Amino acid sequence: SEYSKLEIYPNPTSNNSTIYFNRMLYKPTIKLYNIYGQLVYYKVNISDNSLNLDHLNLSKGVYFINLME
């Protein structure tokens, strides 16, 4: 099977970022976690191969992204 490539830009960011994946996925879900493992954002059934994370009011820090098909 083909793996999905995930690009996040700009990194680091101050207000917004774009998440881009290299192929269309079937009903993808993106989850964003803080370093404590707490879910801070999620979006299901993304209809495009990119997602703009604009003004999520996140604290400065490191976040982990989980992309599932």
Side-chain angles (χ1 to χ4, degrees):
S1 71
E2 182 181 339
Y3 290 99
S4 292
K5 180 180 176 184
L6 201 65
E7 295 179 22
I8 304 164
Y9 52 87
N11 187 12
T13 185
S14 59
N15 288 333
N16 60 50
S17 290
T18 298
I19 299 174
Y20 168 81
F21 24 100
N22 65 330
R23 66 181 178 98
M24 293 299 294
L25 303 174
Y26 179 73
K27 295 185 178 180
T29 298
I30 287 194
K31 295 180 181 179
L32 185 63
Y33 296 91
N34 64 18
I35 61 170
Y36 303 107
Q38 299 166 320
L39 181 65
V40 295
Y41 175 82
Y42 74 96
K43 176 125 178 138
V44 296
N45 296 332
I46 301 163
S47 61
D48 201 355
N49 64 337
S50 66
L51 175 64
N52 187 21
L53 302 177
D54 191 17
H55 305 290
L56 294 180
N57 296 320
L58 297 173
S59 301
K60 290 182 180 181
V62 176
Y63 292 88
F64 301 94
I65 295 176
N66 179 281
L67 171 65
M68 297 186 321
E69 187 170 23

